[in-house]
Every structure is written in C-alpha cells, then in structure tokens.
Amino acid sequence: MSRTASALVAGERDVRADFPILGERTSRGKRLVYLDSAATSQKPTVVIDAIERYYREYNANIHRGVYEIAARATDAFEEARAKVARFLNAAESAEIIWTRNATEAINLVAWSWGGANLHEGDVILVSELEHHSNLVPWQLLAERSGSRLRFIPVNDRGELQLDTLDALLEGCKLVAIAHVSNTLGTILPIAEVVARAHAAGAIVLVDGAQAAPHMPVDVRALDADFYVLSAHKMLGPTGIGVLYGKRALLDAMPPFLSGGDMIRSVSYERSTFNELPWKFEAGTSNIADAIAFGSAIDYLEGYGMENIRAHERALLAYAFEGLGALEERGLAIYGPHDPERSSGVISMNFADIHAHDLASILDTEGICIRAGHHCTMPLMGRLDLAATARASFYLYNDRSDVDALITGLEKAAAIFRLS
Amino acid sequence: MSRTASALVAGERDVRADFPILGERTSRGKRLVYLDSAATSQKPTVVIDAIERYYREYNANIHRGVYEIAARATDAFEEARAKVARFLNAAESAEIIWTRNATEAINLVAWSWGGANLHEGDVILVSELEHHSNLVPWQLLAERSGSRLRFIPVNDRGELQLDTLDALLEGCKLVAIAHVSNTLGTILPIAEVVARAHAAGAIVLVDGAQAAPHMPVDVRALDADFYVLSAHKMLGPTGIGVLYGKRALLDAMPPFLSGGDMIRSVSYERSTFNELPWKFEAGTSNIADAIAFGSAIDYLEGYGMENIRAHERALLAYAFEGLGALEERGLAIYGPHDPERSSGVISMNFADIHAHDLASILDTEGICIRAGHHCTMPLMGRLDLAATARASFYLYNDRSDVDALITGLEKAAAIFRLS
Amino acid sequence: MDDFYRDFILDHYRNPRNFGHLPEPDAVAEDRNPLCGDEMRVEIAVDESGNVSDIRFSGKGCAISQASASMLLEQARGKSLEHLLALGKESVLENVGIDISPTRMKCAMLGLSVLKSAALAGLAKAESE
Amino acid sequence: MDDFYRDFILDHYRNPRNFGHLPEPDAVAEDRNPLCGDEMRVEIAVDESGNVSDIRFSGKGCAISQASASMLLEQARGKSLEHLLALGKESVLENVGIDISPTRMKCAMLGLSVLKSAALAGLAKAESE
Ligand SMILES: Cc1ncc(COP(=O)(O)O)c(C=O)c1O
Ligand SMILES: Cc1ncc(COP(=O)(O)O)c(C=O)c1O
C-alpha cells in the first residue's frame, strides 16, 4: 500500500505496473489502452494474488468448519465484509450482504422488500437515465404488485431536473436512482433526492455501481436506505457485489434466496432464519472473490478515494481540451461536459461514423472503448441517440491514454474520409 | 490432461501434485488430510491458473465488447458453457444457465417456474434426506402459492422407500430430489423416480450437487427436467453454479433476476427479454470463474468420471474395512454402508464423543472432516441423531488418508478414555 | 478491420441502395441486434411468379450492417423467395470481400437474417392464400 | 485443542451437574448454536431476595458446550440475576482454564449466553409482577 501511495506521488507509471494486463500487447503488437473501466475494471496483482493464495493455501467451506483452514477462510471472508462496511461507512458489518453483482443486489430488494411493501397503486420513482439493472427489476415489480413507475426527468445534457420532484414523490414508496450515470458520467445530487424522498415518506435505493469505484462514498452521510455496487468495477473480481441496507429495513424483510447457511433451524414443514447478514446469503458464497474484493478495497484505500477522484477529474479536463479540437470535424460529446460534475466517462459520436465502427477502428490501435446503448436504451431514446462511443477512465489511465484516443479518432476520421 | 490420465495409471501421488494445497502443512506441521470434499473440493493448478490468466491477459466485460480482449473473454465464457453442456450431455448449450451455486439454481426454479405453475392445493414432493437448499425454497414456495409439501420416506439406513411413491405423486406438479445424499452418501434411484413422476404428470428437479462431482451424469438418460450443481464441489471455483433445464421449460418460464444482459429491448415502460440462456443471466456474470470451471471440467474429463467413481468406490471399501475394527469400541457408521450404493461419504459417530469434539481432535492431526447436521436438520431428526462426523473423499484422496483418519480416531478414543 | 472500410463500403453506407419503404409490401420482417440495439427492417414485393419485384430496407446501424444489407439487397431483386431462404453467410462475405472480426459478424449478418425472415413471411403468406 | 479434554472436563461432560428440569421454573431460556445445531435450555428458580435458588440445564451438545455450562451453572446458585447478567466471557474461560480455538468459542459460550437470557427473562418477570 505504501508503494501505491508513493506511486501516485512519483507519477502514474508505477500504478500501471500494479496491473499486469496493462503490460500486455494486442495481436497487432499494440500496447493496451484500456478505456472501458465503466464496463469492468482491470485488476491489480494484489487482487489476483489474493484469489490464488486462497485456493493454494486455505480453500475450505466457511462458517461450519471446525478445522484450521476452514477457520482461516471464515475469518478472511468476514474480514472482507468488515472492510466493505468501513469503506462505505456503514454502521455495522451486518448491513453488508454479499451478492453476485449490483444487479442481483437490486433484484434482492425488488423481490424481498418490494414483495412485502409495494401494493396496488403505489409509486416507484426512478430517473430517466437508469441502467437497465435499475429499471427492469422495478418494471417487473410494478407488474407483480400493481404499482406504477414514474420518472425523474433529465435535460438534454443528462442532468437531473428536480423542480417537479415533490409532485413525483406523491404516493411514492421507493426511489431507485443512480449515483453516477454509466452512459454520461453525470454525478447525481443524491443527498438532496434522499432528503426530499424521506420527507415524502419514501425510502431510497442508490445504484452506486459507477460511483463507489471513483469517489468517496459515505452511505450514512447520504442517508441512503440501500446502496448497491459491483466489485468487478472497482478492481475486484467478477462474481461478487454488495447490497448495503439499513439494519431496520433488512431485519424486517422476508428472506429471498433460501437454503443452506441462511437458516437458523429447519424442520420438514418450516424453517426459521439466521440473523443478518447471513439471512440473505443462501448456499455457498463466492468465498474467494469476496476475500479478493477485500484486497481491492485495501488497494483503493491505499491510493485514496479522494486521490482517485482528483486524478480522474484532471484526466477528464485534459481529455475535454484535447477532444475539443475534433469538434469542428463533427465530434459530439454528450453529458455535462464538466469535470466537476462528471465522473471519468466520455460519451461521444464522431460525425457519421457509427459508434461500432469507431470502436472497431480504435481496437486496431489497441484502444478499448465501448459502443452501443450501454444498457440505457430508454435514455438513448430520450436523447435521440442510436448508440454512442464511450471512453471511461480509472486510476491506471493517464494522459498517454487520452493522447492515444485522440490519435485513434484522427485515424478513424481519415478512414471515413471526414474533411 | 494426458499427464493426469497417466497419473492415474502410475499411482495416485501424481494427482495430489496437481493440487497445490495438498502440499501445505498445518500450523502444527502436519500434512493436510483433506476429507471434506462434500463441503467443497480442492482446486488443481489448471483451475487456479485459468483464473489468473483471465485477469492477467484478457479481463473484459463480455457480449457487447467490440475490442480484442472482450471477444476473447466472450469466447472463453461461452466455450465453458458448451463444456458444461457436453459434460452433462445436454441437448444444447442454451440449456445451461450460470448461477452462483446449486442453491441459487434451485431458487431460480422455485421463483420462476414455481411462481408461474404452482397453485393452491398443488403438491411438491421432496425426499426426507434433502439438503436445506433443496427443501427451504420449496417450503417458501408452498407458503407463497398455497401448495403443500410431501415427503418420500427413507429407511433407517437413509435409503429411499418407493413403495408409496405413486400415492405421493397424486396431485404433484414437481418432484425435487437429490441425486446423492450429502450426509449419507446414498445414491438415489433417480431414473426410476423420474419415470414414475413423468407418468404421473409431474416434472423433476434433480439436485446433483453431490453427484456431478463424483460420477458420470447424463441428464438426457435420466430424463431430468432440471439438474443443478455447484462448481466449487467439483474442482471449480466458488461463486459459480449451473442450472440445466429442458429448453421447452426454460423457454416458457418468466424471467427471474432482471437487468443488463438479459433483455432484448427496454423502454421506460416495458421490456422484452433475451433468448436462452441469457434470459436468466442478469448483470455481469462471474466471467473468470465460469471460464475456470471449464478448466475444471477438462481436468475431470481427463481423469474420467468413471475412473473417479471407481477410485472412490475402492477407497470406500478400504475405509469400511479399516473402520470396522473400531466398531466394537463404539464407532457407528450411518447410511447404506455399501460402496456399490454410496458415493464417497462416510457419516459416523464414535461412542459418546460428540462430532464436534471428534473434528477438533482430528484437526490437531491435520485431518479435515465436517461435524454437525450437514444442512440436513430434518434428516438428522428422522434418524434421531444430533450430529455426525462426516469424512468425504475425492479423486485426490488415497489410502494414506484413510489410514490417517483411523489413527486420528484412535487418538480420539484415547483422549476420551474409551475402553 | 481498418482495411474493411474501403470506398465502395463507405459508399454503400452513406448512400444505401434500396433504402426506405414500399407502399404495399407483400412481406415484412424486422429484427434487432440485441447486443448493440441496432434495428433493421426489410420489405419485399413479390411478382406473380413468386420472385422479388421490389425490395427496401430501413433502420439505423453501423457501416458493416448497412453496407452489407445494401449490397445483399441489390442481388435479391428478381430472385425467388426460396432462393433468398437458401442464402448462406458466404453471400454476405463475398460482397464485402474481407475478413470480418467475430465481434462484428453479427452486424454483417443482420441484413441477411432479416431478409430471410421476410422471405419466410412471404412464403407463408403465399401458402395461406 | 487436544489438551482441552482433561479429566475434569470429561467428568463434567459425562456427568453434568444441574442437568435436567425444574418442576416450576421462574425463568426459562433456550437457544441454539446455528452453526452446529446444538440446543441448550436453562431453567432458573428465584428466591424471595431475587437470588438463584435452583437451576438446571438440558440439551445435547459437545464436551465443550456441556462441560462449560455444567461448570458455569455450579457457580450461579445463590447469585443475583443482575450478577448473572454481568458475567463475561472470562467466567467461562477461567473455568476451562485453557485456550479455546476460535471455531469452538461459540460452543464454549452457548451456556453463558442462554444463562444470561434466562436471567434477563427472570428480571423482566420480576419487574412486571
Ligand atoms: C446435496 C446438496 N445440495 C445442495 C447443496 C448446496 O450447494 P451450494 O452451497 O454450493 O449451493 C449442497 C452443498 O452442500 C449439497 O450437498
Ligand atoms: C449504473 C450501473 N448500474 C448497474 C450496473 C450493473 O452492474 P452489474 O452488471 O455488475 O450488475 C452497471 C454496470 O454496467 C452500471 O453502470
């Protein structure tokens, strides 16, 4: 960790050295310019090693094992949970439920809390810029419960419009809203939404999949009722995510997935359930990846979440400046276009080059960006876009990556004979 | 793989060398005698390496990525699915749904198929020896739907009693039954249960968590409608499991978890869903572990499932013989006690030594066994047992492990002053 | 892939042939590439002998999908619906004349797949009449 | 852990003191170690001054949980319910006199936890009377 902290001071090259994949070459011999961290982040050696160490040294099933490696695995697993609790400033570890990903965490709330609390005529409020994972579960819940969806509008820059919020909150039981837009990078005013929702008697689920990796998050300062994230977007492995929930809410919720580990006692006819957090963790957990996510959090804290935010803000400013030169050739950038109000995401289109073609051409230069609707089809419709090309940054990106992106865009312009 | 095959021929030592953890020493300097594979198996180097390679060389989100490493990740992920389909002899890869574990796979069926098909007064039939993961989800479904549970009885040796099956099947829509008992090792007559259930108009979910690791499984020969398993019990990583389902059933089922990846198109108000298998895979999958599970299957097939079964059968016979000498000092062995009708599981109690104390004493010798109810509380009640000590085998165990177990039991007898 | 975008491809992309709608199509199909969201629609008019008398496609998409569809449809005119149904991947690949990376194969084949759906719809209609 | 099972521990395990039931307990509590399923029940009779006049425990369990409970209950007789409520882990650990591995700590503390629940129930009852 001290090494990471000093790497930041010493310049960014050392951070890159922590990520083995960034030393790889593509089949055309290009260095990897990875600008798709909003889809999934790369992993530092410490995270990969944590997985390997678990399987090589103390792989065992947890919680009920009497023997030495089972005890070690249980301790490491619960220690990782405690790290997440501290990272989010939760009141206690029992408020941290392991899931596969942010999507499953949202579904857990939709099925369990939603099934128990939403009824005919109730309102669920989401924003117009939600990822499908924070929209479709609520559509299905609305269908099951007879409740209705309403939408907090966004303007053409993808910024939340709060002037009608109080009216929208009427009859609303739950607000589900992203902390940061994965398509545009917009940072949403969560604390304000939460305060006004609470005043109207609604609880709030915050989709932190794009915020938790990139800035300090304090669930108690936000006063969020639920907060979800995916480890794979924040240096951790695939297959592990988190539902944070306030104890009072989680305690009152019925179980969702059931089976081994989440029970207290079982007879043929009925069961009683374990206490938090295990009540919601059925079957063998993703032990190795939970532990490795703990290592990812150590790494992030070693770097410092404030420092990550500052680094990405600076990179974003640098990128906006460099990309500005291409605007007269038809480059359009969506979203707030302001490093103070965006996380490290740039969504764009270049003249009449389709985002897919742009991504294919950049790929030949080793540059990885995402093209498409970014799992926000309704937002694309709202903004009248078919697809965008999205470049997204993380702590291991630097100016040379931005430079490569700009060079790549110029190559695309040449190939498409843009004037 | 050729190395593994020859290892079998050349004696068992080489197989152990494939599993790095088996070379570790406990804090007391003992070699690890791992006899808890029914809880979770150890992992060969090829599986650990597959995870590492993914993160070091081609970590990227799948399905929508245009760039090179995303294509490689997508191919590897779908190739792993194809391996599972072949391993189980499914008709097509689309019938293989990734889940976190066997428990989640059962819950998926309970929520989706059960929600759509079970109604007031319907019957769900399970056996008396089910793991909590194949019991509690059906209890909760029964509660939600107003349906009832019935139980196929077992005798005192834990063998299924089928004489009343036809009566039990009356009004039954679904039979959920283990292929192998995790507590007793009993191999259940699945093909017969399926045939009679189908004749009565019920479909059958087979919990293969303890069978798929240890013997050849052919879902089409069994004619199982659903078959579930967990990778971590069969040399694969934690966090990945499988639901196999017949296409016609899966196609007709409503979605369960929803969000990114499982949709076809989304508007603010409604969504249409992707085709199989993705329809049931919401959010970013556990990509690394699915790929590594593919490597585990390669390894298992290299060894040969018939060979694993034969190896465990021989080891079980050897163990029964060795343990026989302790019976006069009070050792009781539960279950069929017959290598032909059991998988590699031995459940026992030793005089008045509580299973937990036995496990603690064995732990001091580096011997890992499980003590307790093994997530089968109702079966324990049925057999009038509070807890058992369970030793379970896998391909990397050999006679020296059985010998160590027997020596450990003798030590426990001395500590507890058994005559 | 960068050598994919030659002049005739870009020309088909920017000036797609047979783009638009038919006043009274005999058969219509549309589909969507679920991975990128691109949509395509094909409309066919059939003459008395069951051959394609007119054809159009519409939708938004990348150069690969649009150019592939544009070139393919040019060859569809005058062909029987059965002939269209029998078309394979090669018919597209020969047109573009260059290897397509696996990630983009779905884009290239979108037009073919919708064309065949439309042909199928046309045959079903002919049969039911 | 193998040196845990000394003679006096095995004696308390095999011949637990105060094992069984009271005819008319003033306070009762039971709990279960969710990880192993072991159950324990404690019954207390209280005299006029609010001290424990009689006490019993029952249930099935390992040597650690049974011996720990047996030794602990021997010391509970004559004590006030408040005193029982204030008991900490040390009270158990001093009795067994040997380090307990973390995996077995829950077994050792099961008796203490049920005893305190029973004391709490007794105090609540006294208050409501
Ligand atoms: C028979 C049986 N079914 C289901 C399970 C649940 O498996 P998992 O915890 O991996 O979901 C197990 C594992 O203990 C088992 O043995
Ligand atoms: C804002 C947002 N929410 C939710 C998700 C879903 O995350 P996952 O696929 O890891 O469940 C994503 C990931 O793309 C996201 O960007």
Side-chain angles (χ1 to χ4, degrees), chain D residues 31-91:
Chain D
D31 199 8
R32 183 189 270 282
N33 180 339
L35 303 182
C36 64
D38 283 353
E39 283 173 307
M40 189 172 291
R41 177 183 169 96
V42 168
E43 304 174 8
I44 299 179
V46 182
D47 64 20
E48 278 121 59
S49 48
N51 295 331
V52 174
S53 60
D54 208 352
I55 188 160
R56 293 285 186 283
F57 81 104
S58 53
K60 284 178 183 175
C62 59
I64 298 186
S65 69
Q66 300 293 298
S68 301
S70 173
M71 289 186 283
L72 187 68
L73 262 62
E74 281 199 302
Q75 299 160 337
R77 220 174 262 269
K79 300 280 168 30
S80 70
L81 297 182
E82 286 85 356
H83 176 91
L84 298 186
L85 259 190
L87 289 175
K89 279 190 170 186
E90 358 40 87
S91 55

Side-chain angles (χ1 to χ4, degrees), chain B residues 338-361:
Chain B
D338 173 355
E340 294 307 315
R341 290 181 294 148
S342 312
S343 182
V345 170
I346 302 180
S347 228
M348 56 197 154
N349 272 314
F350 196 7
D352 71 345
I353 312 177
H354 189 282
H356 262 165
D357 297 315
L358 202 53
S360 280
I361 292 170

Side-chain angles (χ1 to χ4, degrees), chain A residues 28 352-354 356-361 363-365 371-373 377 384-387 411 415-418, chain C residues 1-7 10 13-14 32-38 60-64 101 103-104 107:
Chain A
R28 290 168 185 247
D352 73 344
I353 311 177
H354 189 282
H356 262 165
D357 296 316
L358 201 52
S360 279
I361 292 170
D363 176 42
T364 61
E365 298 296 312
H373 52 64
M377 279 192 193
D384 203 20
L385 297 167
K411 180 179 170 188
I415 287 175
F416 266 74
R417 330 276 191 272
L418 299 186
Chain C
M1 283 303 300
D2 39 359
D3 39 9
F4 176 87
Y5 302 97
R6 283 149 301 154
D7 283 327
L10 292 179
Y13 172 53
R14 291 195 166 120
R32 181 190 272 283
N33 180 341
L35 303 183
C36 64
D38 284 352
K60 285 177 183 174
C62 58
I64 298 185
S101 73
T103 50
R104 304 303 304 281
C107 306

Side-chain angles (χ1 to χ4, degrees), chain A residues 38 101-103 131 133 178 180 182 207 209-210 230 232-233, chain B residues 283-284:
Chain A
N101 49 30
T103 301
H131 188 280
S133 290
V180 166
N182 66 305
D207 173 1
Q210 295 295 344
S230 279
H232 71 91
K233 294 192 199 278
Chain B
T284 303

Side-chain angles (χ1 to χ4, degrees), chain A residues 61 260-261 282-287, chain B residues 39-40 100-101 103 232-233 238-239:
Chain A
N61 215 325
D261 254 17
T284 303
S285 294
N286 188 346
I287 305 168
Chain B
T40 198
R100 176 172 36 248
N101 48 30
T103 302
H232 71 90
K233 294 190 199 281
T238 55

Side-chain angles (χ1 to χ4, degrees), chain A residues 61 64 282-285, chain B residues 38-39 101-104 106 131 133-134 178 180-182 207 209-210 230 232-233 374-375 390:
Chain A
N61 215 325
R64 285 179 315 275
T284 303
S285 294
Chain B
N101 48 30
T103 302
E104 191 194 13
I106 294 168
H131 189 279
S133 290
N134 198 29
V180 166
S181 158
N182 64 305
D207 173 0
Q210 295 294 345
S230 280
H232 71 90
K233 294 190 199 281
H374 317 295
C375 291
R390 183 188 71 186

Side-chain angles (χ1 to χ4, degrees), chain B residues 28 352-354 356-361 363-365 371-373 377 384-387 411 415-418, chain D residues 1-7 10 13-14 32-38 60-64 101 103-104 107:
Chain B
R28 291 168 185 246
D352 71 345
I353 312 177
H354 189 282
H356 262 165
D357 297 315
L358 202 53
S360 280
I361 292 170
D363 175 43
T364 61
E365 298 295 313
H373 53 62
M377 280 193 194
D384 202 19
L385 296 168
K411 180 181 171 190
I415 287 176
F416 267 73
R417 330 275 193 276
L418 298 186
Chain D
M1 285 302 300
D2 38 0
D3 38 11
F4 176 87
Y5 301 97
R6 283 149 301 152
D7 281 327
L10 292 179
Y13 173 53
R14 290 191 167 125
R32 183 189 270 282
N33 180 339
L35 303 182
C36 64
D38 283 353
K60 284 178 183 175
C62 59
I64 298 186
S101 74
T103 51
R104 303 304 304 282
C107 306

